[in-house]
Amino acid sequence: MAQLQKIAVLGGGAGSLAAAFYLSARPGWRERYEITVYQQGWRLGGKGASGRDTLLGQRIEEHGLHIWFGFYANAFAMLRAVYDELGRPPGASLAAWDQAFRPHDYIVLAEQVGTGWRPWNLVLPRRPGEPGTGSDSVAPWRMALEALAWLRRWHSELRALAPVAAEDDDPFGGLQALAAALPLDARLHGDADRARLLEALRRADRDVWALSLALIDDDHTRRMLVGLAIGTTVLRGMLADGVFARGFDVINREDLRAWLLRHGGDPALCVDSAPVRAMYAQLFAFEDGDPGRPNLEAGVALRWIFRMSFAYRGALMYRMQAGMGDAVFAPLYDVLARRGVRFAFFHRVEEIAADADGVGTVRMAVQADIPGGDYRPLVTVKGLPCWPSAPDYGQIAPDQAALLQEHAVDLESWWSDWPALYRQAFGRDLPQRVLLRGRDFDQVVLGLPVGTLPLVAPGLLAASPALASTAAALRSVVTQACQVWFERSTQALGWTYLPDGEEPILTGFSQPYDTWAAMSQVLPGEDWPPASMPHSVQYFCGAMALSELPPRADNGFPARAAAQAKANAVELLDKRIGALWKEVGSAFPWQWLVDPLGAAGPARMDRQYWRANVDPSERYVLSVAGSGASRLASDGTSLPNLFLAGDWLRTGLDSGCVEAAVMGGMQAARAIGGYPEEILGDSDAG
């Protein structure tokens, strides 16, 4: 009988839990592994964690805005398997994956025209299939063939409006015919093939330019011209730089806008257009959160654009019908716990040390004593297991629970004053737990974000030059989020376009808080008193302008950052949101905000929710130009018992999202146990 391998999973984010899910997925796994997940605080989810506020209608409080895209083949496949195994009875709350996630087709780009803002409403068509049931091809050339069909359609529509005859009435038809005649494997295209395609693209581009001079500048024609200008510039650049044969990574040395300019992109119609601006907003792609310093790898951006547009199954996007903690991490926790995966909550990693044989010790602070044994983390809201927004103090040792509540201690914060408060109250340091290789673990799945490594794992960085290079190259950004509950519906706020009843998801607006989504679909799952029941809830998020973070001893820093996030939200509502919500008028009507305490004016904002994601474990990992080459695979550290998990790995997406995090966890499981054999979309050859 093989010796039981003990696996310590550090951190409870999507990557860590995906690793645990696949390691425990095959029959007989308990004869091979003993898996323990160590998590600071009381809840799982990392940047995707959410909580329920028992004092305010069991409302959902998120780290940010979470929308899943239809091309998330791996994340949806895992989620479907979780719900199948969970086996909730029909009629139960969120009984199946397609009750937890609903398809959504409507997205809005905020387009700045002169000094004003205009909504660019897009309703995307449904594609065959369902997410999580495989993947359409993500090979750049195959997706480009579909893009050409759209470009030809737009051009034909514009050509019909043109007042003058063209040298070639259908240049995109000729381009499409040339492309269709070539092999589907772009590596088989010769230099002569590429030269003919480039010449055909130049002819099409000249016609687009002529149309831009001849047509009336209304919103509809301008936006089709923008689509054509971006499309021809991107295809021309991909041909010139060999992307179709070599993959998107070959252009990651450049920022997207710089790359578009190098390939002749028009500044107005392409480089500074609303779709390009939206891509930066979506990936928080601003160094130190500074709007004046956009930075996004060209290859990563184009991979996102192509997969998002041409590789989704079903709908473009899927909305959760509850918080991400409720819809994703509570079911995942339940399934893993039933399988026999162990969870050690209130264990904060303080130091990871390595020697010549790999990770040798992991030292953790035990943040709370649980007299009853294992901590039971979930609460039930309207029949649905959920994570609370604070620990269940009734399960914590009474003297510690009283102290935690008295000082409103945040056990998830790097700057928490809990160690000092504990020492002052009890005359001793927080208990420490040291895991030893060979006794407590054989392998380590490191699911902590890369920004935490210089703080808790300098020994690992010293032992692994490759990991040290990754930690030095990858940058992260602070994000901010705000949720506002209204006594008015989204339509009554002044947003009247709701195709098929779908509320808007908008990005590319002015900063801070450049992204907005009406999320009223979650309200039925909250539990407000009838007198306070909101009619809508609006979510906002965006990058936050913060660069250097203060020392750990600066316990007041999180509160100052949160106050800035609140001030930014007040400024958004008071000064800018009227550009989108036409009923706001010249002065923001604060009485529209839900406030069970009945405050007047801006004080009603005090009962809304906001946060600054400043913690090293919460910061969003950027894809700045040239950084992707330093990303590692899960087993790339050269330390034999260390396996990385998370969205900061080399996954094939190389950007921050739940799909990349799940792919990173799948890599870790495969490196340890050989399963899963396939990770969809982990290269551009698919």
Side-chain angles (χ1 to χ4, degrees), residues 314-346:
L316 172 72
M317 295 172 286
Y318 287 79
R319 284 179 178 261
M320 281 171 276
Q321 303 303 295
M324 189 156 171
D326 312 334
V328 177
F329 294 109
L332 192 48
Y333 165 76
D334 269 342
V335 164
L336 292 175
R338 289 181 195 178
R339 288 180 179 180
V341 173
R342 301 175 181 178
F343 289 86
F345 291 96
F346 303 106

Side-chain angles (χ1 to χ4, degrees), residues 518-531:
M519 296 289 285
S520 306
Q521 83 279 357
V522 306
L523 289 176
E526 299 180 344
D527 195 14
W528 292 87

